[in-house]
């Protein structure tokens, strides 16, 4: 099973042939943010779903009480790089509002049921992020 930097490396080397479909058949994309402190590119393999032409990801951090670093990075700079399979593009990231999240959350839980467990573990409202191609 691929994790972390190894997942990103294999995904990029193979244009997603290795790593796009991950554990439990969950599709993953590569998100590239700009480090809010370092200014350097930071890459993450994240589970996604398509929705109305956009890509949706969840800032769960396994139910931790703090947001993942990638989410803090995109709050500082919402312009991100995205790779879905061999398709590479620039996107603008935004956090879904309450009504939109209510629509998107069940779709994300369907692909990764643990998201519900993660939300139960924390008092933090886990953000749902929409990546809009620019």
């Amino acid at each position: 099973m691929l994790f972390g930097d190894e997942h990103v490396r294999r995904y990029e080397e193979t244009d997603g042939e290795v790593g796009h479909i991950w554990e439990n058949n969950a599709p993953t994309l590569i998100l590239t943010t700009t480090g809010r402190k370092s200014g350097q590119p930071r890459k993450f393999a994240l589970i996604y779903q398509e929705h109305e032409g956009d890509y949706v990801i969840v800032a769960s951090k396994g139910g931790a009480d703090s947001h993942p670093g990638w989410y803090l990075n995109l709050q500082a700079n919402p312009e991100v790089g995205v790779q879905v399979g061999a398709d590479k593009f620039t996107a603008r990231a935004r956090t879904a509002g309450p009504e939109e999240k209510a629509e998107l959350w069940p779709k994300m839980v369907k692909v990764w049921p643990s998201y519900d467990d993660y939300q139960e573990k924390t008092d933090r409202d886990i953000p749902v992020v929409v990546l809009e191609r620019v």
Side-chain angles (χ1 to χ4, degrees), residues 56-71:
V56 179
I57 55 179
V58 176
S60 67
K61 197 177 179 183
D65 288 332
S66 60
H67 294 309
W70 63 260
Y71 181 72

Side-chain angles (χ1 to χ4, degrees), residues 37-78:
K37 296 176 185 171
S38 69
Q40 298 300 307
R42 301 285 183 235
K43 296 183 179 191
F44 307 89
L46 301 169
I47 295 167
Y48 78 92
Q49 284 291 276
E50 291 183 58
H51 179 74
E52 297 180 358
D54 296 325
Y55 294 91
V56 179
I57 55 179
V58 176
S60 67
K61 197 177 179 183
D65 288 332
S66 60
H67 294 309
W70 63 260
Y71 181 72
L72 300 175
N73 288 346
L74 66 79
Q75 284 185 307
N77 181 357

Side-chain angles (χ1 to χ4, degrees), residues 12-129:
E12 289 183 326
E13 286 175 349
T14 66
D15 279 340
E17 286 184 34
V18 176
H20 179 244
I21 301 302
W22 192 58
E23 190 174 332
N24 298 322
N25 290 317
T28 63
L29 55 73
I30 303 300
L31 178 73
T32 304
T33 65
T34 301
R36 65 195 176 285
K37 296 176 185 171
S38 69
Q40 298 300 307
R42 301 285 183 235
K43 296 183 179 191
F44 307 89
L46 301 169
I47 295 167
Y48 78 92
Q49 284 291 276
E50 291 183 58
H51 179 74
E52 297 180 358
D54 296 325
Y55 294 91
V56 179
I57 55 179
V58 176
S60 67
K61 197 177 179 183
D65 288 332
S66 60
H67 294 309
W70 63 260
Y71 181 72
L72 300 175
N73 288 346
L74 66 79
Q75 284 185 307
N77 181 357
E79 187 168 299
V80 297
V82 179
Q83 181 176 346
V84 179
D87 186 20
K88 300 173 188 174
F89 57 92
T90 300
R92 180 159 301 278
R94 64 174 178 80
T95 302
E99 286 182 23
E100 187 178 26
K101 180 180 177 180
E103 178 183 357
L104 297 173
W105 185 262
K107 187 171 189 167
M108 296 307 295
V109 168
K110 186 174 181 180
V111 73
W112 196 255
S114 293
Y115 286 140
D116 272 341
D117 298 331
Y118 300 161
Q119 184 60 77
E120 287 179 21
K121 285 173 41 177
T122 184
D123 291 330
R124 174 174 67 92
D125 183 34
I126 294 177
V128 171
V129 175

